Amino acid sequence: MTVPSRDPTRDDADVLILAAPRDAELTVRALASAGYRCRACASEDALLEALSPVSGSLLIAEERLTRGLLGRLAARIHEQPAWSDLPVLIVANHGTDRLPLKAVAALGNVSMIQRPMTRDALLSTVASALRARHRQLEVRDLLEQQREQSERKDQFLAMLAHELRNPLTPIRYAAHLLQRPGLPSDRQSHLAELVDRQVGHMGRIIDQLLDVSRLTRGLIHLEKTRVDLCALTQDTLAAHAISAQAKEILISCDCTCSVWVEGDETRLRQVLDNLIDNAIKFSPPGQGIQVRIDANAGRVLWQVQDHGDGIEPKLLPQLFDAFVQADRSLERSRGGLGLGLALVKGLVTMHGGRVWVHSDGPGRGSEFTVELPAEHALDGPRDLSAGGEADAVNGEILIAEDNVDAAEALRMILEGHGYRVTVVHSGPDAIQALRESRPQVLICDIGLPGISGYDVARAASSVHRPEVMIAVTGYGSAEDRANALAAGFDAHLAKPVAVPQLLKEVAGALSAGDNPSGADSDGHS
């Protein structure tokens, strides 16, 4: 006979027995031989004292089932949680004729075993009762998980609202100031930088949300190439230089040679971005951050060490779970959604690696270590020189964007860099403009009125195919990118697009084109 699986975290009895001493002894022996944990109770008080919300079942002989016990037991059972339906097994001498049926029914989940009782009947009835009890405990665990998930969801939504309100507040203030007449140009420039910085912050929040969602659903796909981890580290640290300097934090990197791994460069950069961002965020001013790379025995260790707040020991096991944070203070001055480290773990795992953290406790810093398979390592200094951004090449650009404010702002940006710009706000107007203005570059939203941006890109081949077509859209998944490329776009940029990135995409495409003067493949100018 199969014994239902038990909860190993509890030592409650599977069966609490109240019977005459000799009967109780024989029952315990029979059930124990089948693998059940039993406890014989000498009195009603002992039975009620042993009873808990996770007790398996009760086995009570009819002669011990007094009206006083029935009332007290019913009260205790009704006090148990809503998920609980405690099995009560009554060993009866003469069926139910002599039992106070109304009082027995108040116990709820009652089963009868008729004397004389065989061992098989006893084991079968107990097994059935404990199977039902086991399902109840599973329901309890599920309800508890749902409660915890609900609490974490509520906490997360509160954090998300806080994190989005933070950048929205300075943007609204900047918009108010920019409407004031006579604002000095230096103030205008400062406010523009403020808005750009805050929009970039909001974009990163959205990207993290989407990436964690895609990770959990298995929708992130790596585009692996041969990556120099040392070069990637140096470039990534350079991007954090301003935020580190603002806190007087010095970031040092111990890497003087090329260390090669096979991986997705963008995703690996994302891993280090999150680790460095955390190190800066949780380090007090004046402290240092050390980044080390070590290749040994076919593995690469990528380490980020800070001397900041450290981590409480109880938080270490769940630190890489989504929405877990070390900073739970009301002011949340350092922000964050608790997504970064979950994303780090997921991306590292996809690369065949692992990540762990060590901290000696609060105030004693922390060290994050990423282990990746090494492809190749070559001794020798690396060339840290970097080429500058390509100069803008003047050309004709068509913007197809139904958000009038966004289209107008982008037009002003591009015209400020010497481009001639036409703006339309629907799919049919975009096709007409392609035919009439024959632009070199198309910057096109996907969700256009009339027909979609995908259809505009497909129609371009029969109307006028610009030298480069860029999809700029709020749909940023890998599937969306694949759909854009399949429709004919040359690039796919997710909103909000960083202006330098867009300018670089346009300038690079035009400077590499065969017809920089603006002539199309048919010789039209």
Side-chain angles (χ1 to χ4, degrees):
M1 183 174 297
T2 302
V3 179
S5 58
R6 305 186 180 104
D7 183 348
T9 62
R10 68 177 183 90
D11 55 8
D12 297 84
D14 292 322
V15 186
L16 296 176
I17 301 171
L18 181 62
R22 178 60 179 166
D23 290 343
E25 179 184 352
L26 293 173
T27 302
V28 168
R29 189 181 305 167
L31 293 175
S33 67
Y36 295 110
R37 294 174 296 189
C38 303
R39 181 183 300 178
C41 301
S43 65
E44 296 179 5
D45 290 340
L47 175 71
L48 294 172
E49 183 178 351
L51 181 61
S52 80
V54 291
S55 297
S57 63
L58 305 182
L59 181 64
I60 305 175
E62 176 187 345
E63 59 270 18
R64 301 298 299 269
L65 197 63
T66 65
R67 287 189 174 273
L69 175 60
L70 282 170
R72 296 168 67 194
L73 185 57
R76 288 290 305 276
I77 290 176
H78 292 159
E79 291 172 356
Q80 292 199 339
W83 55 263
S84 177
D85 190 18
L86 179 69
V88 180
L89 312 178
I90 298 177
V91 181
N93 295 322
H94 305 286
T96 60
D97 295 343
R98 298 182 181 181
L99 289 173
L101 297 181
K102 186 174 182 180
V104 169
L107 300 180
N109 185 8
V110 178
S111 298
M112 308 295 295
I113 306 177
Q114 183 69 40
R115 284 190 174 116
M117 177 178 60
T118 67
R119 181 177 182 276
D120 287 344
L122 171 66
L123 295 181
S124 175
T125 305
V126 168
S128 178
L130 291 180
R131 276 195 298 269
R133 190 60 168 168
H134 179 69
R135 295 190 194 98
Q136 295 172 30
L137 294 173
E138 289 179 335
V139 170
R140 173 205 63 180
D141 294 341
L142 179 60
L143 291 172
E144 178 63 19
Q145 291 173 10
Q146 290 175 339
R147 184 192 64 79
E148 292 176 356
Q149 290 172 355
S150 179
E151 287 183 358
R152 290 174 70 177
K153 180 196 70 175
D154 291 342
Q155 291 172 0
F156 167 70
L157 290 175
M159 289 186 289
L160 177 59
H162 179 278
E163 288 302 299
L164 291 177
R165 285 193 181 104
N166 271 348
L168 284 173
T169 299
I171 290 173
R172 169 162 282 182
Y173 293 158
H176 176 80
L177 289 170
L178 287 169
Q179 295 178 62
R180 297 177 59 181
L183 191 67
S185 60
D186 60 333
R187 296 290 302 277
Q188 293 181 21
S189 177
H190 174 74
L191 290 173
E193 291 175 359
L194 179 152
V195 171
D196 183 69
R197 184 165 57 251
Q198 297 302 326
V199 170
H201 176 57
M202 292 179 66
R204 286 190 293 274
I205 291 175
I206 294 169
D207 286 342
Q208 280 198 340
L209 284 168
L210 293 175
D211 281 341
V212 169
S213 174
R214 292 169 191 150
L215 267 176
T216 58
R217 293 181 292 153
L219 298 180
I220 286 184
H221 303 286
L222 302 181
E223 298 180 6
K224 290 187 176 182
T225 60
R226 192 166 178 260
V227 179
D228 182 352
L229 204 60
C230 191
L232 182 148
T233 300
Q234 295 282 3
D235 294 341
T236 304
L237 296 185
H240 288 269
I242 294 178
S243 59
Q245 289 171 5
K247 291 187 67 173
E248 299 179 350
I249 291 175
L250 177 64
I251 304 179
S252 62
C253 180
D254 181 12
C255 180
T256 58
C257 65
S258 296
V259 177
W260 299 94
V261 297
E262 183 183 2
D264 186 315
E265 182 172 353
T266 299
R267 296 303 183 178
L268 290 174
R269 190 183 302 273
Q270 204 171 358
V271 167
L272 185 59
D273 266 331
N274 278 288
L275 295 180
I276 295 296
D277 184 62
N278 268 359
I280 294 174
K281 185 186 302 180
F282 292 101
S283 291
Q287 292 290 346
I289 297 172
Q290 292 78 42
V291 181
R292 293 183 294 273
I293 301 178
D294 180 41
N296 186 26
R299 309 294 290 177
V300 173
L301 295 183
W302 205 10
Q303 296 177 314
V304 177
Q305 182 180 22
D306 66 66
H307 305 279
D309 290 358
I311 304 167
E312 295 182 8
K314 65 180 182 181
L315 198 59
L316 288 172
Q318 53 180 326
L319 196 62
F320 293 96
D321 295 341
F323 315 135
V324 171
Q325 297 174 297
D327 182 12
R328 295 182 179 269
S329 58
L330 179 62
E331 70 276 9
R332 290 187 45 75
S333 58
R334 287 171 291 197
L337 290 173
L339 298 175
L341 293 179
L343 192 56
V344 165
K345 181 180 179 180
L347 293 176
V348 169
T349 301
M350 289 183 68
H351 280 83
R354 60 192 184 105
V355 59
W356 64 90
V357 60
H358 171 79
S359 176
D360 291 326
R364 306 187 69 178
S366 55
E367 181 180 74
F368 288 83
T369 301
V370 174
E371 184 184 66
L372 297 168
E375 184 199 85
H376 188 53
L378 297 174
D379 292 331
R382 58 179 289 262
D383 182 8
L384 298 179
S385 61
E389 186 175 314
D391 294 333
V393 177
N394 291 340
E396 186 80 25
I397 298 178
L398 172 63
I399 298 173
E401 168 64 71
D402 64 335
N403 186 316
V404 176
D405 288 342
E408 180 63 16
L410 183 55
R411 180 188 66 78
M412 294 172 63
I413 291 170
L414 293 171
E415 287 181 345
H417 284 77
Y419 296 103
R420 296 183 301 277
V421 181
T422 301
V423 175
V424 297
H425 303 298
S426 72
D429 288 345
I431 294 177
Q432 183 66 21
L434 285 173
R435 181 181 293 110
E436 293 177 354
S437 63
R438 312 188 72 80
Q440 294 167 271
V441 177
L442 170 64
I443 300 175
C444 188
D445 187 22
I446 296 300
L448 291 172
I451 62 172
S452 72
Y454 295 141
D455 293 327
V456 171
R458 295 186 187 102
S461 60
S462 59
V463 177
H464 164 73
R465 182 37 164 106
E467 293 176 23
V468 61
M469 296 196 298
I470 302 171
V472 177
T473 172
Y475 303 100
S477 70
E479 181 181 0
D480 295 321
R481 181 177 182 275
N483 289 339
L485 297 180
F489 284 104
D490 302 292
H492 175 275
L493 303 179
K495 296 178 180 178
V497 179
V499 173
Q501 180 186 12
L502 180 60
L503 291 174
K504 186 174 182 179
E505 195 77 39
V506 172
L510 290 178
S511 63
D514 294 332
N515 303 301
S517 64
D520 64 24
S521 58
D522 297 325
H524 299 287
S525 59

